[in-house]
Amino acid sequence: MRLAGPLRIVALIVTVGLTWIVVSILLGGPGSGFPRIQQLFSSPENSATAEPRARKYKCGLPQPCPEEHLAFRMVSGAANVIGPKICLEDKMLMSSVKDNVGRGLNIALVNDVNDLLKFIRPLHEGTLVFVASYDDPATKMNEETRKLFSDLGSKNVKDLAFRDSWVFVGAKGVQNKSPFEQHVKNSKHTNKYEGWPEALEMEGCIPRRTTAS
């Protein structure tokens, strides 16, 4: 019995049938409950099931600050290459782009100790002070400078040394130490860059000063 001819015909019919079914599934033909092939290759942005992008609030914070609070975000300088950034209430106060940062302590570009003391001494009660280091914050500091920052609420300024990274938010007249402070020591064993530790990033919400009525 010769079955080769009929078997070939059956195989051809089966192949054509399977091909039609696969194409129908991919293209979403009539009566098909499967998605169209275009949906398989659609971008996440156009997909109805794509997760929405996380909303950013003032200064890029992931959540909004409560009422009567100020949003801030600050980043110390990276080595002696990338300058620091200080943002308050969605306004960039200091950055390399604004060309108003320099090496040392970035408080309105005051790096000289004498100028720094003149700058801090006359601050009014309740004035917020934002500090971001760049390259070396400590070499020019003297004991009076460290005491002034300590009075503003810093607990780490007394240990600040050559090429440490430091970010700090304090205020004139505070009674306690500030919760807004980060400090990383310059150590050849842990430095991220050659001769410098990693850059520090800090963000949060600062209560507005309340005035007595």
Side-chain angles (χ1 to χ4, degrees):
M1 296 180 63
R2 294 184 177 181
L3 299 178
L7 287 176
R8 288 177 181 173
I9 294 174
V10 171
L12 179 61
I13 293 173
V14 170
T15 301
V16 172
L18 289 175
T19 302
W20 180 85
I21 292 173
V22 170
V23 171
S24 177
I25 290 173
L26 290 176
L27 296 180
S32 171
F34 298 93
R36 295 181 181 272
I37 192 170
Q38 290 89 341
Q39 292 176 326
L40 297 178
F41 295 95
S42 61
S43 62
E45 290 81 0
N46 297 328
S47 174
T49 58
E51 294 184 3
R53 293 181 179 178
R55 181 179 175 184
K56 294 294 184 181
Y57 296 88
K58 290 180 178 180
C59 292
L61 269 62
Q63 295 180 343
C65 287
E67 290 186 8
E68 298 304 317
H69 283 67
L70 302 172
F72 81 92
R73 181 175 180 268
M74 55 198 307
V75 184
S76 69
N80 63 343
V81 179
I82 303 175
K85 297 178 181 179
I86 299 177
C87 174
L88 178 66
E89 283 294 281
D90 228 18
K91 180 180 180 181
M92 190 63 67
L93 302 180
M94 307 184 78
S95 71
S96 295
V97 174
K98 293 181 72 69
D99 195 24
N100 62 350
V101 297
R103 294 180 182 178
L105 295 175
N106 279 273
I107 314 172
L109 278 180
V110 177
N111 295 309
D112 183 83
V113 171
N114 293 326
D115 289 341
L116 178 62
L117 293 175
K118 293 176 183 178
F119 181 74
I120 294 179
R121 282 175 184 149
L123 290 179
H124 297 292
E125 196 83 0
T127 300
L128 292 173
V129 178
F130 294 79
V131 185
S133 65
Y134 183 23
D135 187 14
D136 175 30
T139 299
K140 295 182 180 180
M141 274 194 175
N142 57 25
E143 288 305 313
E144 184 179 2
T145 310
R146 293 177 188 271
K147 184 180 185 306
L148 284 172
F149 279 116
S150 180
D151 291 343
L152 292 171
S154 172
K155 58 182 177 292
N156 294 324
V157 68
K158 64 181 184 301
D159 301 318
L160 206 61
F162 177 65
R163 285 186 175 174
D164 287 359
S165 286
W166 184 45
V167 287
F168 165 67
V169 182
K172 186 70 176 284
V174 294
Q175 301 300 318
N176 302 310
K177 293 303 180 184
S178 171
F180 303 111
E181 184 175 24
Q182 292 184 20
H183 174 217
V184 174
K185 298 291 290 182
N186 170 23
S187 170
K188 63 180 181 180
H189 303 294
T190 58
N191 282 349
K192 182 174 181 179
Y193 310 102
E194 186 177 353
W196 291 269
E198 64 183 302
L200 292 173
E201 182 174 340
M202 183 171 64
E203 61 185 32
C205 303
I206 305 172
R208 291 180 182 271
R209 181 188 179 195
T210 56
T211 56
S213 56

